[in-house]
Amino acid sequence: MSADNPDSTVNLNEQKAREQLIDLAADFYDQFARGDIPEMTLPTRTKSNIVFDEDSGVWVYGDRTSTRSANSVRGARKLLKAAYTVEFLANQLDENRSSTLRELYYLSESWDSEEAQFSTQDESNQLVEDLEIVSSVTREDFHMRPEESGAKLMGPLLLREQTRRGDREIHCQEDVGQGGYQIPNNPDTIEFLDHDIDFVMCVETGGMRDRLVENGFDTDYDCMVVHLGGQPARATRRIIKRLHDELDRPVVVFCDGDPWSYRIFGSVAYGSIKSAHLSEYLATPEARYVGIRPQDIVDYDLPTDPLSDSDVNALESELDDPRFQTDFWEEQIELQLDIEKKAEQQALAAQGLDFVTDTYLPERLGEMGVI
Amino acid sequence: MSADNPDSTVNLNEQKAREQLIDLAADFYDQFARGDIPEMTLPTRTKSNIVFDEDSGVWVYGDRTSTRSANSVRGARKLLKAAYTVEFLANQLDENRSSTLRELYYLSESWDSEEAQFSTQDESNQLVEDLEIVSSVTREDFHMRPEESGAKLMGPLLLREQTRRGDREIHCQEDVGQGGYQIPNNPDTIEFLDHDIDFVMCVETGGMRDRLVENGFDTDYDCMVVHLGGQPARATRRIIKRLHDELDRPVVVFCDGDPWSYRIFGSVAYGSIKSAHLSEYLATPEARYVGIRPQDIVDYDLPTDPLSDSDVNALESELDDPRFQTDFWEEQIELQLDIEKKAEQQALAAQGLDFVTDTYLPERLGEMGVI
């Protein structure tokens, strides 16, 4: 992204999005014109069709594909819905408007063909994902806004955001309140202007995020604190990736010590099966896990809870997941199954409110070579 | 709150909080000194002990009380925990630190008396609520931060927030990104400096909040848009009350048309049974419900879903709730039980993306005399 004119990049994406959509509709048209039954080919979106791409370092869809063909009523209806949606999205881009996935679902009720109306929101969500895959642009570039908004930033970064009311220059420590800077739905409207960030730390819970900010961790260590707020929204994952790639800074993830939190780490680092077509846009494969590790439960004698049956199942399923087949994760997950315990990140408070910033994080980040 | 020196108000609250805590500990001491068995008296916190206070216009606890006495091992242990917690909170205020409820729970593991340690977080949460009630100060004044943070503001308001890095002056349209201003955990660190707000609109969903902001509703109508994000956090309810009381502006609530959303309205307007001791601090009894009303489902022919059994039960329970016993709510709830349908606020998109801001809200707010 150019430092002088962020508009150009955003507009370029939108122009590309529009062209790709029109191309897709033109494809249907050409197939009709040739006397072929129209069809649309997509990668198969299952766990077994996820492969590791050595070049980009992320997990992407493999070679297996599925075809949507108009050779059945059901298939023809799917392509009709796709054509209506393409028209809606192209108009939306023309008018510089945006909408949510839920609005698209409801809007379809106003379309003149009843056959084109969506019967469930799953159907319209899925179609938008299909269009992302076939057009190779993201739904943000179609101006489809997510329902969930991004989380909050606090750290030494000056950015410029394009808003509908003009550009805003905001420093993510000096120009914001204690709550931090709210990541917009489409973080590609942000340009990074200047920064003193040494590393980026993603934090699972709001309580821990507030602890780090209260203890001045972001200023003491020139750390960009990113609040994940549980499973991170797309906007949050995108900004983490951009902080890593554009500013060339290490990214670490600080979560609870349980299998669900390892999945949160996974969604930052590896992306998800559902959105493997977006891994290169959303995943930060260089992200590393600070803790809470099962090893920390032992080393720091943390207050724990016993593993539930569903925790054990989730850990076992992670051992089977190709994305977790590294020495680090196999060792940690096996240790956890062995000690049968989990711990929350806020459990560090059992050794005092400053233990996390004075002892735990400096030790862990030192071992990892981050500080 | 003084326009010149917000510090004085916040510090006054903290000083009062500290004094009240010390008084409570002194009470225990005096009871011991007199040879009495120490005890603590609290209002009974049940639905049947909620009464409407005509003066303040909010629902508060009635006259029934329960007593915690040290005349049993269980009771004595409760008072021991209270004494330890009072000491921790008084120290926290001395040092100008803060912590979360979850940290308090874990911190208790470091206390020298094992008998004083909390066995569940429910126990420590409940104790902090008890201390709020007996001391008549809020847990924010004890510097107990909530886990959930407040939601977002967008509208014509210039405010000053005291942060740990100094004061920040922020205009909630001109100095923020598309995501808006993030309400801090304790909104009493905010002072309102200047504004052009005509009315305050609280919005349940992020999708609708973004729709209003995209369509420029906050600028066209000089409206302060407050994103509730589902059941609103205490910080969000507090800022709504302050916007109403200090700026003397009407507050309206815009939610989905289902019984769970009426409860969201209820928590803004009436407060909750669990926190009736805070109603005067958190509730805005003058808040009015814009919609979606069951009447709107009929009038605007909105796309709907059928009521589930739990929806019906929730509606019937609302009819029994003294806080919903008004003509408006009885009529609307009975209509909804009759039509057996519910609708989301984003269902308005079935009539186009601008219908909500061009037609629905102007009509409803006009009928209500707000615009």
Side-chain angles (χ1 to χ4, degrees), chain A residues 24-37:
Chain A
L24 184 69
D27 263 359
F28 292 157
Y29 186 87
D30 292 344
Q31 292 176 68
F32 272 120
R34 282 198 308 270
D36 294 343
I37 295 171

Side-chain angles (χ1 to χ4, degrees), chain B residues 17 37 64 130 139 169 193 198 249 259 291 298 301 318 358 369:
Chain B
I37 297 172
R64 283 168 43 204
D130 288 350
R139 73 169 190 238
E169 283 197 13
L193 298 178
D198 276 351
R249 288 296 180 268
V298 178
D301 192 22
E318 280 161 11
D358 286 356

